[in-house]
Amino acid sequence: MPSEVSEAVAAAFEEEYGIVVGFLKLPSTNLLQRYSAEGAAGNIGGDVLTLSGAELFAQTEGADEGWVEPIADLELPAIAEETPEQFVQEYAATVQTQPWIYSYNTDLVDAAPTSWEDLNGPEFADATFLLPDPASSAAYVEFWDYIEAEYGADFIQEFAETHEIRVYGSGGATMEALAAGEGAVRVPSTASSAAGVIAAGAPVDNAAPAATTGVEIQAFATACGASPNSNAARVFMNYLLTEDGNTLMSEFADDVSIYDDANLPAEYQEPNLGAGDRADEILELLNIGG
């Protein structure tokens, strides 16, 4: 989640409960590497993690190491009383969906893209595209996996071979570059990641294809005994899953609350959560190295 969203949620939670929230924002790959390193050293510093692929991490590593608390053991009132059951898994719960969209620099683009096919359309033949490094997050790999499934590997290769592409280490860095005019279009993007630079007056706007996939942000709590503040973590997890707390997360931009999933794009497809291990293949198709 963008820092602006985290700050808003933290401030509202502190006002409601008197519990101070500090947060660390990292690309999901770096975040899990840090969490795993701290866990291996017996010194985990985080109580709650929010990222794409949280359930997969919990099932394949976190739970086996005793780092992640099963959702049922948290005994969260929101899950019993409010949270739609389809968003609750064994260890993590989905707290937000961020549909993938385009963001573009309005000084460099005359007409907004309307579909992912526009990546290779004549109107963008001379455009410079800005990409977050797919290796920085499984969510970016899932996006390109979706593009390959819909349009084929040749489509991605054509995109890479016929455009100037600039790659950045994180979504935040990519958005700052777009705002500065280092390229015409960021792909993929999310509404919330662009909201900060748009609010600051940057020449940036969004376009949302009807057919797309998205980032499904999940949250899990560090296991009691490994968590520095396990009781506070339970309160915070519960807040994220209440309708009030969850809706607040999506008010900042056009991200989608789990209480409002009817507002997903008309042809939205669930991401292929098993695609995260295809990073090397995707990087090769995009011709941007490993």
Side-chain angles (χ1 to χ4, degrees):
M1 296 185 293
S3 297
E4 295 89 347
V5 177
S6 299
E7 289 167 357
V9 171
F13 177 78
E14 182 177 350
E15 182 177 356
E16 180 78 15
Y17 293 99
I19 299 172
V20 177
V21 179
F23 63 90
L24 172 68
K25 183 176 184 297
L26 292 172
S28 62
T29 298
N30 295 352
L31 183 64
L32 290 177
Q33 287 173 345
R34 175 164 175 162
Y35 187 78
S36 297
E38 290 178 349
N43 188 29
I44 294 176
D47 301 291
V48 176
L49 274 73
T50 58
L51 71 159
S52 63
E55 178 70 19
L56 181 62
F57 169 79
Q59 290 185 1
T60 58
E61 183 173 353
D64 289 344
E65 299 291 345
W67 300 335
V68 181
E69 194 82 1
I71 284 280
D73 292 353
L74 298 174
E75 299 182 339
L76 304 180
I79 289 180
E81 301 167 8
E82 297 183 69
T83 309
E85 63 181 12
Q86 67 266 33
F87 297 111
V88 181
Q89 301 183 59
E90 185 177 2
Y91 294 97
T94 299
V95 294
Q96 186 186 65
T97 299
Q98 300 175 357
W100 286 125
I101 62 172
Y102 288 100
S103 293
Y104 61 96
N105 187 299
T106 56
D107 289 343
L108 301 175
V109 174
D110 294 327
T114 58
S115 77
W116 298 117
E117 290 178 291
D118 290 342
L119 288 171
N120 291 337
E123 62 271 40
F124 295 100
D126 298 323
T128 296
F129 285 85
L130 308 183
L131 275 61
D133 185 356
S136 70
S137 172
Y140 296 129
V141 178
E142 292 161 10
F143 167 76
W144 289 107
D145 177 82
Y146 165 82
I147 294 296
E148 183 182 0
E150 291 296 305
Y151 305 111
D154 290 346
F155 181 89
I156 299 177
Q157 290 175 319
E158 179 186 350
F159 169 70
E161 291 169 359
T162 58
H163 296 91
E164 180 180 359
I165 293 175
R166 298 179 181 174
V167 181
Y168 298 82
S170 68
T174 313
M175 190 57 67
E176 290 172 5
L178 181 69
E182 294 180 20
V185 183
R186 171 187 163 169
V187 57
S189 186
T190 64
S192 56
S193 66
V197 297
I198 291 173
V204 172
D205 204 352
N206 297 322
T212 193
T213 185
V215 190
E216 299 196 353
I217 303 296
Q218 299 173 327
F220 68 73
T222 297
C224 182
S227 169
N229 305 282
S230 57
N231 289 330
R234 291 173 61 204
V235 179
F236 187 68
M237 277 281 291
N238 191 72
Y239 180 71
L240 294 181
L241 291 168
T242 63
E243 186 167 3
D244 287 346
N246 196 269
T247 301
L248 174 64
M249 291 177 61
S250 300
E251 283 181 351
F252 184 75
D254 293 328
D255 297 322
V256 181
S257 164
I258 61 175
Y259 291 92
D260 193 28
D261 62 335
N263 279 334
L264 287 169
E267 299 175 53
Y268 179 82
Q269 291 186 28
E270 296 283 336
N272 174 14
L273 298 180
D277 60 0
R278 297 194 61 220
D280 289 343
E281 298 172 52
I282 295 301
L283 290 168
E284 184 175 354
L285 287 175
L286 287 166
N287 194 29
I288 57 177

